[in-house]
Amino acid sequence: MKEENFEEIIKNDESLNKLLNQKDVSVFSNFSNSNFKNEDFKKHINEAYRTSYKEIFDKSFGTSEEGKVTTLFRSVEFLATPEFKEEICNDLEKIITAALINIDTYKSTLQSKPSDVNMPNHYKKFINALNIVNIDILNRFDDNEKIKTIKNQILTSVFDICDILSQLPDNTAYKMNTYNLILEKVQKIKDLGNQKERFEIHKQKEKTKNTGMQVKLFAGLALVILFAIIRILITFLRH
């Protein structure tokens, strides 16, 4: 395919034109055009793509427009040369390494002092470590060996936390909310590898616990209704 044809492809594709020439994307941008997987095409757009990717990432990461970051991640498969993808993965490795540190810090605090006054701070960092961008990194880039290794470490620590939480008394303030939220986030990770069995065990525990709470709620409600009926009957009989 000739270079003039490459320019025609860029011109006629709304998402790609916006990315390369306007340095912008939306959550609806689509880069799955079969022409994009041509290695010569990737080389042709490499410099423009590299510049746009980095500019959009730097502007959007950690902001309210973080959805644009996951759009960029979707583009990598179709637009990045192997060399640029490796560069991207090196940068993403640093992000999920930071996430792993926050997860392990929360785990250590939970193990040593579950009632530590600093727990809210550790909790916030821990939950943020499982945000949509980090989960998308784990889903899209685990073909990179370094990212795959960190992904496994994250999953191991997360389920260690679930193990600890499951042993805490039911009246521990943050137990059920945290436990349920973790499982809700983890199920968004596509490949749990050898941690899948641990997820299923905790998912079943969550289901059993929630069912038990519902039974208690309905039982309590039934007692309230029963007492109300009895009081009405007593009042009626007195008259």
Side-chain angles (χ1 to χ4, degrees):
M1 192 177 293
K2 297 179 180 180
E3 288 198 9
E4 53 265 31
N5 292 335
F6 291 157
E7 290 302 319
E8 195 68 20
I9 290 172
I10 296 170
K11 180 181 177 181
N12 293 330
D13 189 283
E14 182 180 354
S15 294
L16 187 61
N17 189 31
K18 185 175 184 179
L19 169 63
L20 299 183
N21 295 319
Q22 299 177 37
K23 295 182 175 57
D24 196 14
V25 294
S26 76
V27 293
F28 303 108
S29 295
N30 181 5
F31 304 102
S32 61
N33 189 319
S34 60
N35 289 317
F36 299 168
K37 285 197 170 185
N38 181 294
E39 292 304 315
D40 288 335
F41 180 73
K42 290 181 180 180
K43 291 176 183 177
H44 177 76
I45 66 169
N46 183 51
E47 287 306 315
Y49 175 58
R50 180 189 294 265
T51 300
S52 293
Y53 179 100
K54 291 187 174 184
E55 185 170 319
I56 296 168
F57 186 93
D58 290 345
K59 284 183 178 179
S60 305
F61 182 71
T63 73
S64 60
E65 292 193 314
E66 214 161 40
K68 291 185 177 183
V69 174
T70 58
T71 298
L72 286 177
F73 291 166
R74 290 202 311 271
S75 76
V76 173
E77 174 188 356
F78 303 100
L79 304 178
T81 62
E83 294 78 14
F84 185 44
K85 182 178 179 181
E86 186 66 25
E87 186 179 327
I88 289 169
C89 287
N90 288 338
D91 290 337
L92 299 183
E93 180 191 346
K94 298 171 187 175
I95 293 173
I96 58 171
T97 296
L100 176 61
I101 291 171
N102 285 332
I103 291 170
D104 282 342
T105 299
Y106 180 72
K107 172 183 165 182
S108 297
T109 306
L110 200 57
Q111 286 173 321
S112 59
K113 294 181 179 180
S115 59
D116 192 324
V117 293
N118 291 323
M119 181 62 73
N121 294 328
H122 296 320
Y123 171 81
K124 184 177 180 180
K125 290 180 180 178
F126 163 62
I127 292 300
N128 187 56
L130 296 174
N131 64 37
I132 187 172
V133 169
N134 290 346
I135 288 177
D136 208 37
I137 293 172
L138 301 182
N139 284 337
R140 293 187 183 277
F141 298 97
D142 62 351
D143 56 339
N144 177 278
E145 284 303 316
K146 291 180 180 178
I147 290 179
K148 184 176 182 179
T149 297
I150 299 170
K151 175 181 179 178
N152 290 336
Q153 292 172 332
I154 286 175
L155 288 171
T156 298
S157 289
V158 164
F159 288 121
D160 286 346
I161 289 169
C162 285
D163 290 343
I164 296 168
L165 288 171
S166 67
Q167 300 302 315
L168 292 177
D170 288 343
N171 60 359
T172 305
Y174 48 79
K175 174 182 175 176
M176 286 310 296
N177 285 342
T178 303
Y179 192 67
N180 292 343
L181 185 57
I182 292 172
L183 295 179
E184 179 184 320
K185 287 179 175 289
V186 168
Q187 68 184 3
K188 295 176 182 176
I189 299 176
K190 294 177 182 178
D191 183 7
L192 299 178
N194 58 11
Q195 298 294 324
K196 183 173 176 59
E197 184 177 351
R198 293 182 77 184
F199 172 74
E200 295 298 340
I201 289 171
H202 283 291
K203 195 67 180 172
Q204 185 58 42
K205 283 183 180 179
E206 178 200 35
K207 183 178 179 181
T208 301
K209 179 66 68 174
N210 288 341
T211 300
M213 291 176 66
Q214 288 176 352
V215 169
K216 288 179 182 179
L217 178 64
F218 287 133
L221 184 60
L223 285 174
V224 170
I225 293 172
L226 179 60
F227 284 134
I229 292 173
I230 290 173
R231 291 189 65 178
I232 292 171
L233 288 174
I234 291 174
T235 301
F236 177 76
L237 291 173
R238 282 177 178 174
H239 291 285

